[in-house]
């Protein structure tokens, strides 16, 4: 059974940084893409960043230049380095992987507030 375990969320002041991690386990053979989405209260879930198997990346417009996605294929882990955080980045962040199917993590809360 595939499991995604996220970590790294928390409370940070505006301008600060956080690093999210998401480790996949449970018999995964091939991961085609890994990514992060977020959902703020009252809003739809939106793309934050994606990374393909070859390392190609794609970012949501609101995070370009501030967030960086990376992956460690040996560990089946995806990371999201978030810098220059703003209050509008406050949301629950979910990781997603595309393998034999699509799998979602349980979500981790990121709160940006002074």
């Amino acid at each position: 059974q595939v499991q995604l375990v996220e970590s790294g969320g928390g409370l940070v002041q505006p301008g600060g940084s956080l690093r999210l991690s998401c480790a996949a386990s449970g018999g995964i053979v091939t991961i085609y893409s890994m990514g992060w989405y977020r959902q703020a209260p009252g809003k739809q879930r939106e793309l934050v960043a994606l990374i393909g198997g070859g390392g190609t990346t794609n970012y949501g417009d609101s995070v370009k230049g501030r967030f960086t996605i990376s992956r460690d294929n040996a560990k089946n882990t995806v990371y999201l380095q978030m810098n220059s955080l703003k209050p509008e980045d406050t949301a629950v962040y979910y990781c997603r992987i595309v393998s034999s199917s699509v799998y979602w993590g349980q979500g981790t809360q990121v709160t940006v507030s002074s």
Side-chain angles (χ1 to χ4, degrees):
Q1 182 177 357
V2 175
Q3 285 190 319
L4 303 183
V5 179
E6 300 162 347
S7 61
L11 173 65
V12 64
Q13 291 186 342
S17 298
L18 283 174
R19 188 189 194 212
L20 305 183
S21 300
C22 174
S25 62
I28 295 175
V29 177
T30 302
I31 297 178
Y32 299 106
S33 71
M34 309 181 85
W36 292 93
Y37 291 74
R38 69 186 182 187
Q39 187 166 19
K43 294 187 177 182
Q44 291 187 330
R45 191 172 296 189
E46 64 175 358
L47 169 70
V48 177
L50 289 173
I51 184 165
T56 302
T57 58
N58 185 32
Y59 295 92
D61 288 341
S62 62
V63 307
K64 286 179 181 177
R66 299 188 297 123
F67 292 9
T68 302
I69 190 170
S70 60
R71 62 190 282 176
D72 185 333
N73 292 329
K75 297 180 179 179
N76 286 340
T77 299
V78 62
Y79 305 97
L80 184 69
Q81 178 66 43
M82 304 184 294
N83 298 329
S84 303
L85 282 160
K86 305 175 181 179
E88 51 264 43
D89 294 317
T90 296
V92 178
Y93 284 69
Y94 299 89
C95 72
R96 186 192 82 154
I97 68 166
V98 178
S99 180
S100 57
S101 186
V102 177
Y103 301 96
W104 290 89
Q106 79 284 359
T108 185
Q109 177 70 46
V110 171
T111 302
V112 184
S113 176
S114 55

